[in-house]
Amino acid sequence: MNTNNQDIVNLVEILSRLGLEHAVLSPGSRNAPLIKAFNQHPGIRCYSVVDERAAAFFALGMAQQLQKPVAAICTSGSALLNYGPAVVEAYHQRVPLLVISADRPIEWIGQGDGQAIDQKHVFRNFSKGYFELKESRSHQNSSWYNERSTAEAFNLAAFEPQGPVHLNIPLSEPLYGVEAMVPQLTSLPTKGIQSELSAPAASIKELANQVSGRQKVMLLIGQLHENEALRSLVHSLSELEQVVVLTETTSNLFGNGFIDQIDNALATFTEEEKDAFSPDLLITMGGMVVTKRLKQFLRTGFQGLHWHIDPATSHMDTYQKLSYHVQASPLKVLEALVPLCTSAASANYRRIWLAKKQLAGERHRQYCASIAHSDLSVFRDVLKSIPEGSQLQIGNSSPVRYVQLFENKTGVTHYCNRGVSGIDGCTGTAIGASVVNERPTVLISGEISFLYDNNSLWNKAVPANFVAIVVNNSGGNIFRIIEGPDQFSEMNEFIETTHSLSVKPLAELHGFRYLSADSEDSLQQVLQQTFDHSTKTILEVFTSSTESPAVLKKYWRFLKEGV
């Protein structure tokens, strides 16, 4: 490699040997040796993304799909801080993002030198670890330390539960030396090996006895990657009469016996019925849960035992009733648990939940058959039209809530940045996911999120089969849906941020095909063209900022009352 920094050459070689295949580079001077070494390594594909915030989310999207580390590499100073939103999302979504930052030599920190800040532990509260390489090679153990730290950083990001790791590299001038160098490692890099965590047999037996001996068992599954083996095991549990399985859209676990439109079913409950539907045993697994209705339902009405299955050490007590935390792989636990569980003959818990699902489904179809052009009708038509085999990347705020109202299409996988649920990197994440996944990628986003993340479009790696559908209702319409904001006089300007902008100039600037619709008829006319995947496409659908929330509020009343 043509760089005169042996430690950087060794670093790139170690990461490649451990399995790193993708690196996202943002321009800079202090990171020039890193750019040179990564770009010239034959085993690593490099991408150039100018905006560091967009670059980090782009890397996050790739790592989300690959479930293995992807490197995001930047120069020193404020560039690193722009990684912050993606790093915190990766931490809470458990995505293996490897942050590699160039740094100024320690003697120049705080001395008025440009882009020289204290970069140590800047992500302390939302990363799995921090490593800093030694710049001096004056001691015989310096190279060994750097090589060991590089391997440990990569392995830590990859170990379950996965997450971001920060590797900081001080670099002194000259930065642009060119010299043919080959890796000179002190030893072979350490490869991390982690077995899948399983629960003790006694704990599995105790949980199986509780499942078999109770009348009302709820299995609630949050955000997960698609996993057919896990889906099959969950399906077996769902056939027990005392067990109801509730799955979020982002759990990617769907079946006829599952309640996968949770909010719809909950909307049909009367006050008198709620106790009958509350579980006496709750089992949870997976990541964040979107539905606020269910959280409130369990926090206020649930008084039984709660078992949470998760390989992380932290006790995630979302429903304020956590009884047991099983630190193990959900797949391994269910493999041992399911064969031990038996059906409770007199139970009807599964049946009453499925009856509510059927009732909600009938009312949903009846209401949606004749609604005015609105956000709800747009999601109805778009979700119906997405080709089987696609991956759907969902924007935060209202889009993910709308998607959960509809039946999930077979063969479509669902992803959303629900780690911290920010709107700031949904587009960048979706583009990153599209680059490493051969399946066509569809992003459905609100226009505020899309405009906010517009620099993510400044990326020449966007594939032809990428489609962004932007629902433009002239502001953050979520604030017209939830209770409270409309009582503020500052609503329009400072909360909803009302505007009259279009994303068309962005599409033209970055070479996307631009399509638009402003009615149900015009949307139907462009949907087929939208999904022909002949070129990267942005479809902008305009809806009314007042009609859409009105239609949704009537929807909830109709689900509850049927009229």
Side-chain angles (χ1 to χ4, degrees), residues 32-333:
L34 289 163
I35 291 172
K36 188 77 169 176
F38 274 96
N39 190 54
Q40 292 202 348
H41 195 286
I44 299 176
R45 181 177 176 184
C46 292
Y47 310 81
S48 176
V49 181
V50 175
D51 184 313
E52 282 86 5
R53 182 168 61 82
F57 276 110
F58 178 64
L60 182 149
M62 288 193 284
Q64 176 201 79
Q65 295 297 303
L66 296 171
Q67 297 182 60
K68 56 190 293 188
V70 170
I73 301 161
C74 69
T75 193
S76 65
S78 58
L80 175 62
L81 300 183
N82 281 302
Y83 277 176
V87 173
V88 70
E89 175 62 32
Y91 182 67
H92 288 283
Q93 197 183 137
R94 299 180 182 175
V95 175
L97 184 66
L98 182 60
V99 172
I100 301 177
S101 57
D103 198 359
R104 302 282 167 148
I106 189 170
E107 59 267 24
W108 283 106
I109 305 301
Q111 302 306 308
D113 204 26
Q115 288 289 291
I117 66 171
D118 186 353
Q119 297 182 185
K120 294 179 183 293
H121 299 286
V122 294
F123 304 126
R124 182 194 304 274
N125 292 332
F126 35 87
S127 67
K128 291 183 68 179
Y130 171 83
F131 299 85
E132 182 166 308
L133 299 194
K134 292 183 178 295
E135 186 177 16
S136 172
R137 297 174 59 84
S138 59
H139 193 280
Q140 62 179 356
N141 287 330
S142 295
S143 294
W144 165 76
Y145 173 86
N146 286 349
E147 293 168 24
R148 173 170 61 83
S149 297
T150 299
E152 188 174 351
F154 181 92
N155 292 330
L156 182 59
F159 277 179
E160 293 289 346
Q162 295 180 327
V165 172
H166 181 197
L167 180 59
N168 193 50
I169 306 173
L171 293 167
S172 293
E173 297 181 14
L175 302 170
Y176 294 94
V178 176
E179 181 180 340
M181 281 190 168
V182 296
Q184 296 179 7
L185 305 183
T186 60
S187 62
L188 292 176
T190 303
K191 293 188 176 181
I193 299 173
Q194 184 183 37
S195 61
E196 283 205 65
L197 297 172
S198 57
S203 299
I204 295 294
K205 186 175 180 180
E206 180 180 355
L207 180 55
N209 288 338
Q210 291 185 18
V211 171
S212 302
R214 291 180 178 268
Q215 296 291 299
K216 299 189 296 179
V217 180
M218 178 183 291
L219 175 58
L220 172 59
I221 305 174
Q223 187 168 24
L224 286 172
H225 289 277
E226 188 177 31
N227 187 316
E228 178 55 32
L230 185 62
R231 191 208 67 80
S232 179
L233 290 165
V234 171
H235 177 73
S236 296
L237 271 183
S238 75
E239 294 184 319
L240 302 179
E241 291 301 324
Q242 74 272 31
V243 176
V244 62
V245 175
L246 275 60
T247 63
E248 291 262 287
T249 295
T250 54
S251 74
N252 289 303
L253 293 175
F254 312 122
N256 290 332
F258 301 174
I259 309 298
D260 56 0
Q261 294 159 277
I262 301 171
D263 281 328
N264 296 9
L266 288 172
T268 67
F269 289 3
T270 65
E271 285 298 321
E272 295 74 22
E273 291 176 319
K274 286 184 178 179
D275 185 60
F277 285 86
S278 181
D280 47 33
L281 173 61
L282 173 65
I283 304 170
T284 56
M285 60 183 67
M288 302 296 182
V289 168
V290 176
T291 167
K292 188 174 181 179
R293 274 187 173 85
L294 182 64
K295 292 176 186 177
Q296 289 299 112
F297 175 69
L298 292 174
R299 286 169 184 166
T300 57
F302 166 56
Q303 299 298 329
L305 294 176
H306 177 197
W307 287 63
H308 183 59
I309 304 167
D310 186 18
T313 57
S314 58
H315 295 353
M316 192 164 70
D317 190 10
T318 306
Y319 311 105
Q320 300 178 302
K321 305 287 193 308
L322 187 63
S323 311
Y324 300 90
H325 172 211
V326 184
Q327 190 188 350
S329 157
L331 179 63
K332 288 296 182 183
V333 170

Side-chain angles (χ1 to χ4, degrees), residues 1 6 9-14 17 41 181-185:
M1 296 180 197
Q6 186 67 58
V9 172
N10 292 349
L11 173 141
V12 177
E13 178 65 19
I14 289 168
R17 290 192 189 189
H41 195 286
M181 281 190 168
V182 296
Q184 296 179 7
L185 305 183

Side-chain angles (χ1 to χ4, degrees), residues 264 293 364 367-368 371-372 374-377 379 398 401-403 405-406 477-478 480-482 546-559:
N264 296 9
R293 274 187 173 85
H364 168 89
Y367 183 85
C368 289
I371 54 177
S374 59
D375 289 356
L376 187 63
S377 74
F379 279 87
S398 56
R401 290 169 171 83
Y402 273 110
V403 170
L405 304 180
F406 294 86
N477 210 231
I478 184 68
R480 293 181 181 269
I481 295 172
I482 62 177
T546 55
E547 182 71 21
S548 291
V551 167
L552 186 61
K553 288 175 182 178
K554 289 178 184 177
Y555 172 79
W556 292 121
R557 287 199 298 272
F558 193 88
L559 286 183

Side-chain angles (χ1 to χ4, degrees), residues 275-478:
D275 185 60
F277 285 86
S278 181
D280 47 33
L281 173 61
L282 173 65
I283 304 170
T284 56
M285 60 183 67
M288 302 296 182
V289 168
V290 176
T291 167
K292 188 174 181 179
R293 274 187 173 85
L294 182 64
K295 292 176 186 177
Q296 289 299 112
F297 175 69
L298 292 174
R299 286 169 184 166
T300 57
F302 166 56
Q303 299 298 329
L305 294 176
H306 177 197
W307 287 63
H308 183 59
I309 304 167
D310 186 18
T313 57
S314 58
H315 295 353
M316 192 164 70
D317 190 10
T318 306
Y319 311 105
Q320 300 178 302
K321 305 287 193 308
L322 187 63
S323 311
Y324 300 90
H325 172 211
V326 184
Q327 190 188 350
S329 157
L331 179 63
K332 288 296 182 183
V333 170
L334 290 191
E335 284 177 343
L337 176 69
V338 170
L340 302 178
C341 296
T342 58
S343 187
S346 60
N348 67 346
Y349 194 54
R350 173 177 179 268
R351 288 198 299 272
I352 64 172
W353 268 96
L354 289 177
K356 284 295 186 184
K357 176 182 178 179
Q358 182 177 357
L359 174 63
E362 291 170 354
R363 290 179 177 175
H364 168 89
R365 287 186 289 273
Q366 183 180 350
Y367 183 85
C368 289
S370 58
I371 54 177
H373 178 67
S374 59
D375 289 356
L376 187 63
S377 74
V378 169
F379 279 87
R380 176 200 64 194
D381 296 341
V382 167
L383 293 174
K384 189 185 301 182
S385 302
I386 293 175
E388 185 175 336
S390 301
Q391 69 155 320
L392 178 61
Q393 291 276 339
I394 311 166
N396 264 313
S397 204
S398 56
V400 68
R401 290 169 171 83
Y402 273 110
V403 170
Q404 296 221 129
L405 304 180
F406 294 86
E407 187 175 359
N408 299 291
K409 178 174 282 190
T410 303
V412 175
T413 55
H414 303 75
Y415 295 91
C416 181
N417 281 351
R418 293 304 295 179
V420 290
S421 309
I423 67 167
D424 41 4
C426 299
T427 304
T429 301
I431 292 173
S434 72
V435 168
V436 294
N437 192 323
E438 293 182 355
R439 304 172 73 166
T441 298
V442 180
L443 166 68
I444 186 163
S445 171
E447 90 285 358
I448 294 292
S449 176
F450 197 78
L451 290 166
Y452 191 91
D453 195 22
N454 72 82
N455 267 355
S456 286
L457 304 176
W458 189 6
N459 187 332
K460 63 183 180 182
V462 183
N465 64 1
F466 177 81
V467 170
I469 298 173
V470 182
V471 183
N472 189 339
N473 49 35
S474 303
N477 210 231
I478 184 68

